[in-house]
Amino acid sequence: MKKFFTSALMRGLFWQLIGWIVGALFVTGVRVLMGLNPFVTGQYFFTEPAWVFGGLVGAISYVASTGAMTDWFKWAKGEEVPEHREDPPGWEKYLNVSLDHKVIGVQYTVTALFLLCVGGLFALIFRTELAHSGLQFLTLQEYNTFMSLHGIVMIVGILLGVAGLMNYLVPMLIGAQDMAFPRLNAFSYWVAPPAAVLLLSTLLFGGFDTGWTGYPPLSERAPLGMQMFFLGVAVAGWASILGGLNLLASVLRMRAKGMTPFRMPIFVWAAIATSLISTTATQLIGLSFQMVMFQRLFGMGFFDSEKGGNPILFQHLFWFYSHPAVYVFVLPGLGIISELMPVFARKPLFGYRFVAMSSLGIALVGFLVWAHHMFVSGMNPYLRIPFMFSTLLVAVPTGVKFFSWVSTLWKGKIEAPTPMLFVIGGVVVFLLGGLSGPPNATVATDLHLQNTYWIVGHFHDTMFGGYIFPFFAAIYYWFPKVTGRRMNEALGKIHFWLMMPSFLTLTLLMMRVGLLGMRRRVADYDPALGFDNYHLIMTIAAYLIAISILIFLYNLIVSVTHGEVATGNVWNSRSPEWQVPSPMPVHNYDQPFEVIGEPYDYGLPGSVYIKFEDKKSKGH
Amino acid sequence: MEHTNKSDVLRQGVIVFIFLAVLTALEFFVAVEIGSTVLLAMIAFVKVGLVFYYYMHIYRLNVQDEDLDRHSYQYKLGTSRIGLWLFLLSDAFIFGGLFVSRFNLLGLGPLPLSSDSQFTALTITSVLLLSSFFMNRAEVSMEHGDRKGFIFGISLTILLGLVFLAGVITVEWPSAINAGVTPSSNAAGAVFFIMTGMHAFHVLTGVIFLSIVLRNGLRGLYSPEKHWAVESATTYWHFVDVVWLFFYPALYLIGKLI
């Protein structure tokens, strides 16, 4: 227990609190010297600039106190640091700064699961409120805060989950010992927990009622919680930016011998496409939020039309990241689907090159579609048409993926253990999400669908199909690689068969009430609309999903220590990481391997993907 | 290392600097006499091209070192360069966003600054340009083992960086505020202060980075073969300069002057 309380995680929390107070006191002191009012008589004691500056200092204190930056300080002082640092055995390494990409990957994934559960809990709270028309137990402000927090906590959770998958898998898949910059990798992870603390702290500062989009002018007037939200997203953004940068450098420089671009595992292609977006576009959401933050703090009138500002500009800057962001979420998920499907269909992946290029295609077209969120915003109407066409263009590379998946399954010897169930489930749900997309991209129909539950249903289908289902598939699939044990198959199947129908019920009903005129993001609806029964069923479905997640968590925790031992090639995969025993050794591969064949030639006799270099020949 | 003869490389740095100085003067002339935004943009791109190639050595990214040992210093140097350029690419998106905001909010019109600002801006632009020149000399000196030249160049760069910062914060900002352009007065003021402020913040981090390099350089931690810290600080410094190459015309020159 002592080891838990002295871990970097807990130490960071302590110092974050201290830093927060010190920062707030500093600004308060400056205000005294400037002759400004040092405190507000309202409920939050310190002034808004004091809280915001304190929040920033607190986040930096967290990262500094964990030791994630210690090696850089040593470099600045001109001291030598060892290339690798060995982790202590046991569970403590997961709570402390580690340079091992596998440990960091697990850290990311566990943090992501935690945040996804928190975000899900928020959803359950306001879903319960919605089960019946009229306000039951939440005030409007509370409803809005839970609704907004559900959005952003889920988004940060998914981003961390994406980083977890990419961190754990990519170095193993390309045959590297670690990422290109292990210290930067550790740093990227350790900025995430303080960001999560900042986001959750909004609850203590009156919440915020803008939804996760934070549009001004509403975000200009929202309670203090708004600022903590902006700060939290800006800090979390750095995890995404630096993680993406690291991954790109790793893939460019650390691939095994013979692994030409078109012999890389397909997930690596997806990771590249994702990282290209997250490295670059993420800056724009940070910037747009920073501008609103400054507008609140210093009265800078970027988005204030009284001062000649333009609120639409915010939406442009915001969606320039936030639309590609959904591709950051789904591309790795779709990569997992393409990665696992050949393993369980025992057939080569159909159209490997096209699938690889489709990931890049989605990422690049994704940069050109942002204004389709703004058809009713009041922007120049002539912009609608080019953005409509660029958005519809996304369907082409996405269609390529579906074509590949269906053709891979065609005449395959399909096995369906839990990971494959989630892969198929992901394809089905993502298909629904995909098909409900073009009506939103088409201006004529979007003018009616905008801001209805139809959009909510569409969005949740794409997120679950494109990310959550594949994420579960990946966890079930690579769990033996991490722990050397398997997760319980029966519980996994219950998880799937409970979640899948509940989820479809939920989102299809969302789309139905949306088409009938149910507005999104509202706490209440008119009973005369006749939606009460639909909402009740949706709430029940949401609870069933929650139960299935609890089953999953139970399975996950128990299997770490009590799962069936599985150290070999459990899924009979051709991928390099399964050719060495589980759990993965500390430095991945004792012997480097050389790629001598195609990655997905399942079922073709005599085909080989990789060959390990001979141990003896290396000694001589 | 591409050029073995040190004096050739130094001469090249001087020629590039003269080109940049002439182009800056031309830029000012274009702004005053012609007022063509397109011409200003073209000049800015030419300047950026020169800095990218001759000062930031962008061609070094394209190296064929597949056969090198993955754990060798040379191979890791290549990886580090890619990492740094990716970071600069990412950072460029912040500045790009600010740049777009400026044109979205103010169109192609000038900022309502006083004519004193023109003089200050041209002066600090020259200071930054000069600092880039000495930065380049410092790096070249390091590559050729001239420790004295390195210390001299980097010290002067830091000094010029501080002069630039002082120029922005103690001369330019008060003069803008006197002209009625304050952060909270209007959108033009907001744009002016966030653009100059964000850039000044990067100059400040650059000065800190260079000071660390100078200190470690004085202790003799770098050699002609191993000086990634020097190279990265140099590249970062030139990048901050490149940002100003766009910000200067966007803030001061666009819209017919006088």
Side-chain angles (χ1 to χ4, degrees):
Chain A
M1 225 46 207
K2 185 166 173 287
K3 278 179 184 163
F4 175 74
F5 284 111
T6 54
S7 66
L9 187 76
M10 301 312 279
R11 212 164 55 228
L13 284 176
F14 173 74
W15 283 107
Q16 184 173 17
L17 190 66
I18 301 285
W20 205 325
I21 296 168
V22 169
L25 282 174
F26 174 76
V27 173
T28 308
V30 171
R31 285 179 74 90
V32 171
L33 292 179
M34 287 169 73
L36 294 166
N37 191 8
F39 299 108
V40 278
T41 42
Q43 43 188 333
Y44 307 122
F45 190 64
F46 287 123
T47 52
E48 184 165 318
W51 278 119
V52 173
F53 186 72
L56 185 64
V57 175
I60 296 169
S61 315
Y62 186 113
V63 185
S65 69
T66 56
M69 289 148 82
T70 311
D71 280 0
W72 292 338
F73 292 143
K74 284 186 182 162
W75 283 350
K77 283 191 278 183
E79 291 170 25
E80 292 285 324
V81 294
E83 172 94 31
H84 292 288
R85 231 181 310 148
E86 295 301 324
D87 292 318
W91 52 269
E92 302 130 62
K93 65 183 172 196
Y94 292 107
L95 294 176
N96 287 298
V97 176
S98 167
L99 300 184
D100 184 350
H101 76 96
K102 295 185 291 298
V103 175
I104 296 173
V106 173
Q107 286 173 333
Y108 266 123
T109 309
V110 172
T111 317
L113 281 172
F114 171 75
L115 284 179
L116 292 174
C117 290
V118 172
L121 198 63
F122 291 146
L124 278 187
I125 293 173
F126 70 78
R127 196 64 248 176
T128 312
E129 169 64 50
L130 284 168
H132 198 278
S133 56
L135 285 180
Q136 273 69 244
F137 63 99
L138 290 178
T139 63
L140 291 175
Q141 179 69 19
E142 281 165 359
Y143 177 90
N144 287 340
T145 302
F146 282 128
M147 178 270 294
S148 310
L149 269 178
H150 166 65
I152 194 63
V153 170
M154 282 295 190
I155 283 167
V156 173
I158 291 178
L159 279 176
L160 297 183
V162 165
L165 291 180
M166 297 199 310
N167 251 295
Y168 191 84
L169 296 177
V170 168
M172 285 186 338
L173 290 175
I174 62 175
Q177 284 194 349
D178 209 315
M179 298 285 266
F181 309 111
R183 283 163 193 81
L184 190 67
N185 202 17
F187 178 82
S188 313
Y189 169 73
W190 285 101
V191 297
V197 171
L198 278 170
L199 286 175
L200 294 177
S201 78
T202 53
L203 283 170
L204 304 175
F205 294 108
F208 61 107
D209 47 7
T210 58
W212 81 278
T213 49
Y215 279 6
L218 185 55
S219 55
E220 219 187 312
R221 294 176 210 142
L224 182 55
M226 196 77 228
Q227 294 280 38
M228 297 307 148
F229 159 77
F230 286 149
L231 206 56
V233 174
V235 175
W238 279 103
S240 201
I241 292 167
L242 297 173
L245 181 164
N246 208 340
L247 188 120
L248 285 174
S250 307
V251 176
L252 283 171
R253 298 289 291 178
M254 323 264 292
R255 292 195 311 274
K257 205 169 149 195
M259 190 180 276
T260 54
F262 286 113
R263 281 181 171 178
M264 292 195 302
I266 204 78
F267 179 75
V268 178
W269 274 105
I272 290 179
T274 292
S275 302
L276 273 175
I277 301 173
S278 62
T279 311
T280 55
T282 310
Q283 297 281 13
L284 270 288
I285 190 177
L287 179 69
S288 61
F289 282 179
Q290 205 175 333
M291 283 159 90
V292 185
M293 210 189 245
F294 286 174
Q295 184 165 342
R296 286 179 63 127
L297 291 177
F298 309 120
M300 296 170 96
F302 301 108
F303 311 122
D304 183 351
S305 39
E306 270 178 32
K307 292 179 177 169
N310 180 7
I312 306 267
L313 171 64
F314 174 87
Q315 300 183 22
H316 281 296
L317 294 175
F318 174 81
W319 287 115
F320 186 80
Y321 166 71
S322 299
H323 188 79
V326 300
Y327 301 134
V328 171
F329 307 154
V330 301
L331 283 173
L334 305 184
I336 295 283
I337 294 180
S338 298
E339 182 78 38
L340 301 196
M341 205 170 255
V343 179
F344 293 110
R346 310 308 302 167
K347 261 188 65 196
L349 178 68
F350 188 86
Y352 168 89
R353 283 182 185 228
F354 288 91
V355 178
M357 283 298 116
S358 73
S359 290
L360 274 188
I362 292 176
L364 297 180
V365 178
F367 275 103
L368 307 172
V369 302
W370 75 91
H372 66 224
H373 293 268
M374 299 162 59
F375 287 155
V376 299
S377 70
M379 68 168 181
N380 259 325
Y382 67 74
L383 284 176
R384 287 172 175 174
I385 303 303
F387 279 106
M388 173 174 111
F389 280 114
S390 61
T391 306
L392 291 172
L393 196 60
V394 177
V396 177
T398 319
V400 167
K401 285 188 186 291
F402 276 103
F403 193 68
S404 153
W405 295 331
V406 174
S407 312
T408 305
L409 288 179
W410 179 255
K411 289 189 177 172
K413 291 181 202 146
I414 303 172
E415 304 154 14
T418 314
M420 185 58 168
L421 284 180
F422 276 96
V423 164
I424 302 285
V427 172
V428 171
V429 173
F430 192 67
L431 180 66
L432 279 175
L435 291 180
S436 58
N440 313 332
T442 313
V443 178
T445 39
D446 181 65
L447 295 183
H448 300 278
L449 296 171
Q450 177 90 29
N451 277 336
T452 66
Y453 258 65
W454 167 271
I455 304 278
V456 182
H458 158 72
F459 182 72
H460 282 82
D461 269 348
T462 53
M463 285 299 103
F464 265 69
Y467 181 75
I468 301 292
F469 277 85
F471 184 52
F472 283 134
I475 291 179
Y476 283 106
Y477 182 82
W478 276 290
F479 188 82
K481 202 74 246 171
V482 182
T483 59
R485 289 170 187 277
R486 278 181 78 149
M487 286 175 74
N488 187 304
E489 194 65 21
L491 285 176
K493 289 206 159 112
I494 295 174
H495 172 202
F496 176 79
W497 287 113
L498 190 57
M499 186 163 140
M500 180 78 182
S502 315
F503 182 75
L504 287 178
T505 312
L506 177 68
T507 54
L508 289 173
L509 278 181
M510 277 177 177
M511 291 192 208
R512 166 128 183 104
V513 293
L515 286 176
L516 292 174
M518 173 80 196
R519 305 243 307 122
R520 68 188 288 199
R521 289 183 168 174
V522 289
D524 191 14
Y525 46 93
D526 189 346
L529 288 166
F531 295 155
D532 279 68
N533 285 338
Y534 289 138
H535 274 294
L536 185 62
I537 298 171
M538 279 192 256
T539 307
I540 293 169
Y543 274 94
L544 290 178
I545 296 172
I547 291 169
S548 75
I549 303 289
L550 285 179
I551 293 171
F552 162 76
L553 289 177
Y554 171 80
N555 191 356
L556 188 79
I557 293 165
V558 170
S559 300
V560 172
T561 47
H562 292 80
E564 177 196 335
V565 175
T567 52
N569 191 347
V570 189
W571 315 107
N572 200 5
S573 164
R574 291 161 52 90
S575 199
E577 80 273 20
W578 291 106
Q579 313 311 320
V580 293
S582 308
M584 201 68 182
V586 176
H587 292 303
N588 294 356
Y589 304 100
D590 290 340
Q591 297 301 313
F593 62 78
E594 191 184 348
V595 175
I596 51 171
E598 301 299 322
Y600 295 108
D601 281 349
Y602 286 95
L604 301 187
S607 65
V608 199
Y609 179 37
I610 57 158
K611 194 183 81 186
F612 282 97
E613 277 173 24
D614 197 5
K615 241 178 195 166
K616 276 180 186 167
S617 69
K618 209 190 169 210
H620 290 286
Chain B
M1 274 158 272
E2 291 79 8
H3 309 273
T4 40
N5 192 337
K6 185 185 160 203
S7 59
D8 277 358
V9 188
L10 286 181
R11 197 176 307 124
Q12 189 188 53
V14 175
I15 293 168
V16 173
F17 173 73
I18 292 171
F19 265 107
L20 289 172
V22 169
L23 283 171
T24 308
L26 184 67
E27 211 171 26
F28 194 74
F29 173 77
V30 166
V32 175
E33 293 294 329
I34 309 174
S36 160
T37 310
V38 179
L39 262 182
L40 286 177
M42 282 166 63
I43 296 173
F45 275 111
V46 172
K47 285 162 84 176
V48 169
L50 286 173
V51 175
F52 268 14
Y53 193 83
Y54 290 104
Y55 283 173
M56 292 169 82
H57 314 293
I58 193 170
Y59 52 83
R60 284 183 187 165
L61 288 177
N62 179 29
V63 282
Q64 309 297 328
D65 52 4
E66 293 297 310
D67 305 330
L68 279 178
D69 174 20
R70 292 286 169 96
H71 297 287
S72 67
Y73 182 83
Q74 274 306 314
Y75 194 84
K76 284 183 179 167
L77 184 63
T79 311
S80 301
R81 279 178 184 149
I82 287 174
L84 178 67
W85 275 90
L86 282 172
F87 174 76
L88 298 183
L89 175 73
S90 171
D91 214 9
F93 271 71
I94 297 188
F95 292 112
L98 291 174
F99 202 67
V100 168
S101 305
R102 181 246 181 268
F103 289 105
N104 181 288
L105 293 176
L106 309 175
L108 290 176
L111 274 81
L113 296 164
S114 71
S115 52
D116 293 353
S117 287
Q118 285 298 338
F119 176 73
T120 321
L122 195 57
T123 313
I124 57 174
T125 305
S126 315
V127 167
L128 204 58
L129 198 60
L130 209 56
S131 81
S132 257
F133 169 70
F134 284 109
M135 190 71 251
N136 177 252
R137 281 187 93 83
E139 192 197 13
V140 172
S141 303
M142 174 47 77
E143 273 168 14
H144 293 85
D146 173 5
R147 194 156 159 271
K148 249 185 186 167
F150 163 71
I151 300 293
F152 174 73
I154 198 167
S155 309
L156 215 54
T157 309
I158 293 172
L159 189 70
L160 289 167
L162 290 172
V163 170
F164 177 87
L165 274 179
V168 170
I169 292 167
T170 65
V171 182
E172 181 51 13
W173 283 4
S175 123
I177 288 170
N178 281 338
V181 181
T182 71
S184 58
S185 61
N186 50 28
V191 163
F192 176 77
F193 277 91
I194 199 168
M195 283 173 84
T196 49
M198 191 70 92
H199 181 260
F201 175 72
H202 279 75
V203 174
L204 180 67
T205 51
V207 166
I208 295 171
F209 197 178
L210 286 178
S211 308
I212 293 169
V213 171
L214 172 63
R215 174 180 171 273
N216 289 342
L218 283 169
R219 293 166 65 204
L221 290 183
Y222 308 123
S223 64
E225 292 78 32
K226 293 189 177 185
H227 57 272
W228 165 242
V230 179
E231 188 185 325
S232 55
T234 310
T235 311
Y236 181 73
W237 189 259
H238 291 307
F239 169 75
V240 176
D241 192 26
V242 161
V243 171
W244 191 252
L245 292 183
F246 286 112
F247 273 23
Y248 171 57
L251 286 172
Y252 294 98
L253 299 182
I254 281 177
K256 203 163 163 72
L257 297 175
I258 309 169

